[in-house]
Amino acid sequence: MSNILIIKTSPRTGGNSDALADEFARGAAEAGHHVETVSLARKAIGFCRGCLACQDTHRCVMRDDADAIGQQIHDADVVVWATPVYYYSVSGQMKTMIDRSNPVYGTDYKFRDVYLLASAAEDEPTTADGAVTALKGWVACFERSRLAGVVFAGGVNERGDIAGHPSLAKAYEAGRSVGR
């Protein structure tokens, strides 16, 4: 059984990327994993100041919600990022949280597998490439981790457009297959 952290990064709660996250969580829970979900939508997370004090203390000098989320990332066996695709990349909230997870770097973090769940209005197969690249940059800094999977839902814009989309089944199956 794995401890799975799902980070919903959309500022729009209940949106399409949240639906992907919920299906991943459902599949993982049904497979017997412990699943914890955090949404950044209502969190106070400031921009990284680049002071690098966290490299010595493994804590950020800023005291906001990112500190606790960073600890959750550190302690998880699996980290799942769910994001809408904005301008062919991750949401600003996701990028800010990635930057603010810097205190985890250089620690004995637990996570090995990282997943990306992404939704976008555009339906081209390459639409999520920039989001994948952004997350791969973060994963590359954590040498014991790997990008274990990507689920992309294209052609979904308005809240609820994802209903019946085949990506929901893919997210569910990705959650069920964690650890296999």
Side-chain angles (χ1 to χ4, degrees):
M1 180 172 95
S2 294
N3 178 27
I4 300 172
L5 175 64
I6 299 175
I7 305 169
K8 296 178 176 181
T9 71
S10 178
R12 181 172 68 176
T13 59
N16 298 311
S17 64
D18 283 4
L20 289 173
D22 293 344
E23 283 302 295
F24 189 103
R26 187 171 70 87
E30 287 180 11
H33 300 289
H34 172 76
V35 179
E36 189 170 355
T37 302
V38 62
S39 173
L40 302 185
R42 306 276 186 265
K43 300 292 184 187
I45 300 174
F47 298 117
C48 177
R49 295 179 183 162
C51 69
L52 299 179
C54 62
Q55 294 303 287
D56 295 323
T57 64
H58 303 296
R59 295 271 326 260
C60 185
V61 298
M62 297 168 57
R63 296 291 176 244
D64 62 14
D65 293 324
D67 194 45
I69 297 167
Q71 189 60 52
Q72 290 175 286
I73 291 170
H74 177 276
D75 295 342
D77 298 311
V78 176
V79 178
V80 180
W81 296 90
T83 186
V85 174
Y86 292 159
Y87 294 100
Y88 300 96
S89 192
V90 299
S91 69
Q93 292 79 359
M94 180 169 164
K95 177 60 172 117
T96 299
M97 189 59 230
I98 282 175
D99 291 348
R100 290 295 303 285
S101 70
N102 203 42
V104 179
Y105 179 79
T107 67
D108 191 23
Y109 58 89
K110 289 180 65 179
F111 64 91
R112 298 298 179 263
D113 287 346
V114 178
Y115 289 83
L116 176 65
L117 310 174
S119 64
E122 190 170 329
D123 198 18
E124 293 300 317
T126 58
T127 301
D129 288 357
V132 172
T133 298
L135 187 55
K136 280 183 176 180
W138 184 75
V139 169
C141 293
F142 294 93
E143 295 176 352
R144 298 187 315 259
S145 70
R146 70 184 181 109
L147 183 58
V150 175
V151 176
F152 172 62
V156 296
N157 189 32
E158 299 301 320
R159 182 182 282 125
D161 281 354
I162 200 166
H165 197 283
S167 64
L168 292 171
K170 290 177 183 173
Y172 172 82
E173 286 304 320
R176 283 193 55 80
S177 69
V178 167
R180 288 193 222 163

